[in-house]
Short mmCIF file of all heavy atoms in Angstrom, two decimals:
data_model
loop_
_atom_site.label_atom_id
_atom_site.label_comp_id
_atom_site.label_asym_id
_atom_site.label_seq_id
_atom_site.Cartn_x
_atom_site.Cartn_y
_atom_site.Cartn_z
N ASN X 1 60.21 166.63 101.76
CA ASN X 1 60.79 167.35 100.63
C ASN X 1 60.85 166.47 99.39
O ASN X 1 60.55 166.92 98.27
CB ASN X 1 62.19 167.86 100.96
CG ASN X 1 62.18 169.01 101.93
OD1 ASN X 1 61.18 169.67 102.13
ND2 ASN X 1 63.33 169.25 102.57
N ASN X 2 61.23 165.21 99.56
CA ASN X 2 61.33 164.29 98.42
C ASN X 2 59.96 163.96 97.84
O ASN X 2 59.80 163.89 96.62
CB ASN X 2 62.07 163.02 98.81
CG ASN X 2 63.56 163.24 98.97
OD1 ASN X 2 64.14 164.15 98.36
ND2 ASN X 2 64.19 162.44 99.79
N ILE X 3 58.98 163.79 98.69
CA ILE X 3 57.62 163.52 98.19
C ILE X 3 57.12 164.72 97.39
O ILE X 3 56.59 164.56 96.29
CB ILE X 3 56.67 163.18 99.36
CG1 ILE X 3 57.03 161.79 99.91
CG2 ILE X 3 55.21 163.24 98.91
CD1 ILE X 3 56.30 161.41 101.17
N LYS X 4 57.33 165.91 97.92
CA LYS X 4 56.90 167.11 97.20
C LYS X 4 57.63 167.25 95.87
O LYS X 4 57.02 167.55 94.84
CB LYS X 4 57.12 168.35 98.06
CG LYS X 4 56.62 169.62 97.41
CD LYS X 4 56.76 170.81 98.33
CE LYS X 4 56.22 172.07 97.66
NZ LYS X 4 56.31 173.23 98.55
N LEU X 5 58.94 166.99 95.88
CA LEU X 5 59.74 167.10 94.66
C LEU X 5 59.26 166.12 93.59
O LEU X 5 59.03 166.50 92.44
CB LEU X 5 61.22 166.85 94.98
CG LEU X 5 62.18 166.88 93.80
CD1 LEU X 5 62.28 168.29 93.22
CD2 LEU X 5 63.55 166.39 94.23
N ILE X 6 59.08 164.87 93.97
CA ILE X 6 58.62 163.85 93.02
C ILE X 6 57.22 164.19 92.52
O ILE X 6 56.93 164.09 91.32
CB ILE X 6 58.67 162.45 93.64
CG1 ILE X 6 60.13 162.04 93.92
CG2 ILE X 6 58.00 161.42 92.72
CD1 ILE X 6 60.29 160.80 94.77
N ARG X 7 56.36 164.62 93.43
CA ARG X 7 54.99 164.97 93.05
C ARG X 7 54.99 166.10 92.02
O ARG X 7 54.30 166.03 91.00
CB ARG X 7 54.19 165.38 94.30
CG ARG X 7 52.77 165.80 94.01
CD ARG X 7 52.00 166.16 95.26
NE ARG X 7 52.56 167.27 96.02
CZ ARG X 7 52.47 168.55 95.66
NH1 ARG X 7 51.86 168.90 94.56
NH2 ARG X 7 52.99 169.49 96.43
N GLU X 8 55.79 167.12 92.28
CA GLU X 8 55.86 168.25 91.35
C GLU X 8 56.50 167.86 90.01
O GLU X 8 56.09 168.34 88.96
CB GLU X 8 56.60 169.41 91.99
CG GLU X 8 55.79 170.07 93.10
CD GLU X 8 56.52 171.16 93.85
OE1 GLU X 8 57.77 171.26 93.74
OE2 GLU X 8 55.84 171.95 94.55
N GLN X 9 57.50 166.98 90.05
CA GLN X 9 58.12 166.50 88.81
C GLN X 9 57.11 165.76 87.94
O GLN X 9 57.17 165.81 86.72
CB GLN X 9 59.31 165.59 89.11
CG GLN X 9 60.53 166.33 89.62
CD GLN X 9 61.64 165.41 90.06
OE1 GLN X 9 61.45 164.21 90.28
NE2 GLN X 9 62.83 165.96 90.21
N LYS X 10 56.19 165.07 88.58
CA LYS X 10 55.14 164.35 87.85
C LYS X 10 54.01 165.28 87.40
O LYS X 10 53.13 164.86 86.67
CB LYS X 10 54.57 163.22 88.71
CG LYS X 10 55.53 162.07 88.92
CD LYS X 10 54.84 160.96 89.66
CE LYS X 10 55.66 159.70 89.65
NZ LYS X 10 55.68 159.02 88.37
N GLY X 11 54.04 166.52 87.90
CA GLY X 11 52.98 167.46 87.56
C GLY X 11 51.69 167.17 88.32
O GLY X 11 50.61 167.55 87.87
N TRP X 12 51.82 166.50 89.45
CA TRP X 12 50.65 166.12 90.25
C TRP X 12 50.36 167.17 91.32
O TRP X 12 51.26 167.72 91.93
CB TRP X 12 50.88 164.80 90.95
CG TRP X 12 50.88 163.58 90.08
CD1 TRP X 12 50.83 163.54 88.73
CD2 TRP X 12 50.97 162.23 90.52
NE1 TRP X 12 50.86 162.24 88.29
CE2 TRP X 12 50.95 161.42 89.37
CE3 TRP X 12 51.06 161.63 91.76
CZ2 TRP X 12 51.01 160.03 89.44
CZ3 TRP X 12 51.13 160.25 91.84
CH2 TRP X 12 51.10 159.46 90.68
N SER X 13 49.10 167.38 91.59
CA SER X 13 48.68 168.17 92.75
C SER X 13 48.64 167.23 93.95
O SER X 13 48.72 166.00 93.80
CB SER X 13 47.29 168.75 92.50
OG SER X 13 46.34 167.69 92.40
N GLN X 14 48.47 167.80 95.12
CA GLN X 14 48.27 166.96 96.30
C GLN X 14 46.98 166.15 96.16
O GLN X 14 46.91 165.02 96.62
CB GLN X 14 48.26 167.80 97.58
CG GLN X 14 49.61 168.33 97.96
CD GLN X 14 49.59 169.17 99.22
OE1 GLN X 14 48.53 169.64 99.65
NE2 GLN X 14 50.75 169.38 99.80
N ASP X 15 45.99 166.73 95.51
CA ASP X 15 44.73 166.01 95.28
C ASP X 15 44.95 164.77 94.42
O ASP X 15 44.38 163.72 94.68
CB ASP X 15 43.68 166.92 94.62
CG ASP X 15 43.11 167.95 95.58
OD1 ASP X 15 42.96 167.62 96.78
OD2 ASP X 15 42.84 169.08 95.15
N LYS X 16 45.79 164.90 93.39
CA LYS X 16 46.08 163.77 92.51
C LYS X 16 46.81 162.68 93.29
O LYS X 16 46.48 161.50 93.17
CB LYS X 16 46.92 164.24 91.31
CG LYS X 16 47.44 163.13 90.43
CD LYS X 16 46.36 162.43 89.64
CE LYS X 16 46.98 161.41 88.70
NZ LYS X 16 46.01 160.71 87.91
N LEU X 17 47.83 163.06 94.07
CA LEU X 17 48.54 162.07 94.88
C LEU X 17 47.58 161.42 95.87
O LEU X 17 47.64 160.21 96.09
CB LEU X 17 49.73 162.71 95.61
CG LEU X 17 50.52 161.78 96.53
CD1 LEU X 17 51.01 160.54 95.81
CD2 LEU X 17 51.69 162.54 97.15
N SER X 18 46.69 162.20 96.43
CA SER X 18 45.69 161.67 97.35
C SER X 18 44.83 160.61 96.66
O SER X 18 44.60 159.52 97.20
CB SER X 18 44.81 162.81 97.85
OG SER X 18 43.73 162.32 98.59
N GLU X 19 44.39 160.93 95.46
CA GLU X 19 43.55 160.01 94.69
C GLU X 19 44.28 158.70 94.38
O GLU X 19 43.74 157.61 94.54
CB GLU X 19 43.13 160.70 93.39
CG GLU X 19 42.31 159.88 92.45
CD GLU X 19 42.04 160.63 91.15
OE1 GLU X 19 41.73 161.84 91.19
OE2 GLU X 19 42.19 159.99 90.09
N VAL X 20 45.53 158.82 93.92
CA VAL X 20 46.29 157.64 93.50
C VAL X 20 46.75 156.80 94.70
O VAL X 20 46.74 155.57 94.63
CB VAL X 20 47.50 158.06 92.63
CG1 VAL X 20 48.36 156.85 92.26
CG2 VAL X 20 47.02 158.76 91.36
N SER X 21 47.11 157.46 95.80
CA SER X 21 47.65 156.74 96.95
C SER X 21 46.58 156.25 97.92
O SER X 21 46.83 155.37 98.73
CB SER X 21 48.63 157.63 97.71
OG SER X 21 47.96 158.71 98.34
N GLY X 22 45.40 156.88 97.88
CA GLY X 22 44.35 156.52 98.82
C GLY X 22 44.47 157.22 100.16
O GLY X 22 43.79 156.87 101.12
N LEU X 23 45.35 158.24 100.23
CA LEU X 23 45.55 159.00 101.46
C LEU X 23 44.83 160.34 101.35
O LEU X 23 44.66 160.86 100.25
CB LEU X 23 47.04 159.23 101.70
CG LEU X 23 47.90 157.98 101.82
CD1 LEU X 23 49.37 158.33 101.81
CD2 LEU X 23 47.54 157.22 103.09
N HIS X 24 44.45 160.90 102.49
CA HIS X 24 43.76 162.18 102.48
C HIS X 24 44.74 163.30 102.12
O HIS X 24 45.91 163.26 102.52
CB HIS X 24 43.14 162.45 103.85
CG HIS X 24 42.12 163.53 103.83
ND1 HIS X 24 42.46 164.85 103.95
CD2 HIS X 24 40.77 163.49 103.69
CE1 HIS X 24 41.37 165.58 103.89
NE2 HIS X 24 40.32 164.77 103.73
N ARG X 25 44.28 164.30 101.39
CA ARG X 25 45.14 165.39 100.94
C ARG X 25 45.78 166.13 102.10
O ARG X 25 46.95 166.50 102.04
CB ARG X 25 44.35 166.38 100.07
CG ARG X 25 45.27 167.43 99.43
CD ARG X 25 44.53 168.66 98.97
NE ARG X 25 43.76 169.32 100.02
CZ ARG X 25 44.28 170.09 100.99
NH1 ARG X 25 45.56 170.28 101.06
NH2 ARG X 25 43.50 170.64 101.88
N THR X 26 45.04 166.34 103.18
CA THR X 26 45.63 167.07 104.31
C THR X 26 46.71 166.24 105.00
O THR X 26 47.66 166.81 105.55
CB THR X 26 44.56 167.50 105.34
OG1 THR X 26 43.86 166.35 105.81
CG2 THR X 26 43.57 168.48 104.72
N TYR X 27 46.59 164.93 104.96
CA TYR X 27 47.63 164.07 105.52
C TYR X 27 48.89 164.18 104.67
O TYR X 27 50.00 164.29 105.21
CB TYR X 27 47.14 162.63 105.60
CG TYR X 27 48.07 161.72 106.37
CD1 TYR X 27 48.15 161.81 107.75
CD2 TYR X 27 48.87 160.80 105.72
CE1 TYR X 27 49.01 160.99 108.47
CE2 TYR X 27 49.72 159.97 106.42
CZ TYR X 27 49.79 160.07 107.80
OH TYR X 27 50.64 159.25 108.50
N ILE X 28 48.73 164.18 103.36
CA ILE X 28 49.87 164.35 102.45
C ILE X 28 50.53 165.70 102.68
O ILE X 28 51.76 165.81 102.72
CB ILE X 28 49.42 164.18 100.98
CG1 ILE X 28 49.05 162.71 100.73
CG2 ILE X 28 50.52 164.64 100.01
CD1 ILE X 28 48.35 162.44 99.44
N SER X 29 49.74 166.73 102.85
CA SER X 29 50.26 168.06 103.13
C SER X 29 51.12 168.03 104.40
O SER X 29 52.21 168.62 104.43
CB SER X 29 49.11 169.06 103.29
OG SER X 29 49.59 170.31 103.71
N GLY X 30 50.64 167.38 105.43
CA GLY X 30 51.39 167.28 106.68
C GLY X 30 52.70 166.54 106.51
O GLY X 30 53.73 166.92 107.09
N ILE X 31 52.69 165.50 105.70
CA ILE X 31 53.93 164.76 105.43
C ILE X 31 54.92 165.66 104.69
O ILE X 31 56.10 165.73 105.04
CB ILE X 31 53.65 163.48 104.61
CG1 ILE X 31 52.82 162.49 105.42
CG2 ILE X 31 54.96 162.83 104.16
CD1 ILE X 31 52.31 161.31 104.62
N GLU X 32 54.43 166.35 103.66
CA GLU X 32 55.31 167.22 102.87
C GLU X 32 55.90 168.35 103.72
O GLU X 32 57.02 168.77 103.48
CB GLU X 32 54.55 167.81 101.68
CG GLU X 32 54.28 166.80 100.59
CD GLU X 32 53.67 167.42 99.34
OE1 GLU X 32 53.42 168.65 99.30
OE2 GLU X 32 53.45 166.66 98.38
N ARG X 33 55.16 168.83 104.71
CA ARG X 33 55.65 169.90 105.58
C ARG X 33 56.55 169.37 106.69
O ARG X 33 57.16 170.14 107.42
CB ARG X 33 54.49 170.69 106.18
CG ARG X 33 53.76 171.53 105.15
CD ARG X 33 52.62 172.35 105.74
NE ARG X 33 51.50 171.47 106.07
CZ ARG X 33 50.98 171.31 107.29
NH1 ARG X 33 51.46 171.99 108.30
NH2 ARG X 33 49.96 170.50 107.50
N GLY X 34 56.64 168.04 106.81
CA GLY X 34 57.49 167.44 107.82
C GLY X 34 56.90 167.44 109.22
O GLY X 34 57.62 167.22 110.19
N VAL X 35 55.60 167.67 109.31
CA VAL X 35 54.95 167.68 110.63
C VAL X 35 54.25 166.36 110.95
O VAL X 35 53.81 166.16 112.08
CB VAL X 35 53.96 168.86 110.77
CG1 VAL X 35 54.69 170.19 110.67
CG2 VAL X 35 52.84 168.78 109.75
N ARG X 36 54.16 165.49 109.99
CA ARG X 36 53.60 164.15 110.20
C ARG X 36 54.74 163.15 110.22
O ARG X 36 55.75 163.32 109.55
CB ARG X 36 52.64 163.76 109.07
CG ARG X 36 51.38 164.55 109.02
CD ARG X 36 50.42 164.04 110.05
NE ARG X 36 49.11 164.66 109.86
CZ ARG X 36 48.05 164.26 110.49
NH1 ARG X 36 48.10 163.26 111.31
NH2 ARG X 36 46.92 164.88 110.31
N ASN X 37 54.55 162.08 110.96
CA ASN X 37 55.53 161.00 111.04
C ASN X 37 54.83 159.73 110.56
O ASN X 37 54.34 158.94 111.36
CB ASN X 37 56.03 160.86 112.48
CG ASN X 37 57.21 159.94 112.58
OD1 ASN X 37 57.83 159.61 111.58
ND2 ASN X 37 57.52 159.52 113.80
N PRO X 38 54.78 159.54 109.22
CA PRO X 38 54.00 158.42 108.68
C PRO X 38 54.64 157.07 108.99
O PRO X 38 55.86 156.97 109.14
CB PRO X 38 54.00 158.69 107.18
CG PRO X 38 55.26 159.46 106.94
CD PRO X 38 55.43 160.30 108.17
N THR X 39 53.80 156.05 109.06
CA THR X 39 54.29 154.69 109.22
C THR X 39 54.95 154.23 107.93
O THR X 39 54.75 154.82 106.86
CB THR X 39 53.15 153.72 109.56
OG1 THR X 39 52.27 153.64 108.42
CG2 THR X 39 52.39 154.14 110.81
N ILE X 40 55.70 153.16 108.02
CA ILE X 40 56.36 152.61 106.83
C ILE X 40 55.31 152.13 105.82
O ILE X 40 55.54 152.21 104.61
CB ILE X 40 57.36 151.49 107.21
CG1 ILE X 40 58.30 151.18 106.05
CG2 ILE X 40 56.65 150.25 107.69
CD1 ILE X 40 59.24 152.30 105.70
N ASP X 41 54.16 151.70 106.29
CA ASP X 41 53.09 151.28 105.36
C ASP X 41 52.59 152.47 104.54
O ASP X 41 52.32 152.32 103.33
CB ASP X 41 51.92 150.66 106.13
CG ASP X 41 52.26 149.29 106.70
OD1 ASP X 41 53.06 148.57 106.08
OD2 ASP X 41 51.70 148.95 107.76
N ILE X 42 52.48 153.63 105.15
CA ILE X 42 52.04 154.84 104.44
C ILE X 42 53.11 155.24 103.42
O ILE X 42 52.79 155.59 102.28
CB ILE X 42 51.77 155.99 105.43
CG1 ILE X 42 50.61 155.64 106.37
CG2 ILE X 42 51.53 157.31 104.70
CD1 ILE X 42 49.26 155.46 105.70
N VAL X 43 54.37 155.18 103.83
CA VAL X 43 55.47 155.52 102.91
C VAL X 43 55.46 154.56 101.72
O VAL X 43 55.66 154.98 100.58
CB VAL X 43 56.83 155.52 103.64
CG1 VAL X 43 57.97 155.77 102.67
CG2 VAL X 43 56.84 156.54 104.76
N LYS X 44 55.18 153.30 101.98
CA LYS X 44 55.10 152.31 100.90
C LYS X 44 53.95 152.66 99.94
O LYS X 44 54.11 152.57 98.72
CB LYS X 44 54.89 150.91 101.48
CG LYS X 44 54.83 149.83 100.43
CD LYS X 44 54.62 148.47 101.06
CE LYS X 44 54.44 147.41 99.98
NZ LYS X 44 54.05 146.12 100.57
N GLN X 45 52.80 153.07 100.48
CA GLN X 45 51.67 153.47 99.63
C GLN X 45 52.07 154.61 98.70
O GLN X 45 51.71 154.62 97.51
CB GLN X 45 50.49 153.93 100.49
CG GLN X 45 49.60 152.86 101.00
CD GLN X 45 48.46 153.45 101.81
OE1 GLN X 45 48.48 153.37 103.03
NE2 GLN X 45 47.48 154.03 101.14
N ILE X 46 52.79 155.57 99.24
CA ILE X 46 53.20 156.73 98.44
C ILE X 46 54.21 156.30 97.38
O ILE X 46 54.10 156.71 96.22
CB ILE X 46 53.76 157.84 99.35
CG1 ILE X 46 52.64 158.40 100.24
CG2 ILE X 46 54.40 158.95 98.51
CD1 ILE X 46 53.12 159.33 101.35
N SER X 47 55.17 155.48 97.75
CA SER X 47 56.16 155.03 96.76
C SER X 47 55.49 154.24 95.64
O SER X 47 55.85 154.38 94.47
CB SER X 47 57.29 154.23 97.41
OG SER X 47 56.88 152.95 97.80
N GLN X 48 54.51 153.43 95.98
CA GLN X 48 53.79 152.67 94.96
C GLN X 48 52.96 153.59 94.07
O GLN X 48 52.87 153.36 92.86
CB GLN X 48 52.91 151.61 95.61
CG GLN X 48 53.71 150.47 96.20
CD GLN X 48 52.87 149.47 96.96
OE1 GLN X 48 51.80 149.79 97.49
NE2 GLN X 48 53.36 148.24 97.04
#
């Protein structure tokens, strides 16, 4: 929920977050839906 909120506040699509973070868009979608359990390294990539 927080990733989706921040992404939308920035006006970013999942594609944009994918591009900036280096993660696949479908993986980001899974995280936003709460069905993925990302590692702390992935969470760090998103925060950066």
Side-chain angles (χ1 to χ4, degrees):
N1 288 342
N2 286 334
I3 289 172
K4 183 176 181 179
L5 178 67
I6 294 169
R7 179 179 61 75
E8 289 176 344
Q9 287 173 344
K10 290 186 169 286
W12 288 7
S13 65
Q14 288 180 342
D15 287 325
K16 172 70 175 181
L17 178 55
S18 172
E19 178 184 317
V20 176
S21 68
L23 301 170
H24 196 275
R25 188 200 56 76
T26 58
Y27 189 73
I28 291 168
S29 173
I31 295 171
E32 288 187 358
R33 289 181 288 120
V35 297
R36 292 281 189 170
N37 190 15
T39 66
I40 195 67
D41 289 328
I42 296 296
V43 176
K44 181 180 175 188
Q45 276 181 255
I46 294 170
S47 73
Q48 289 175 333

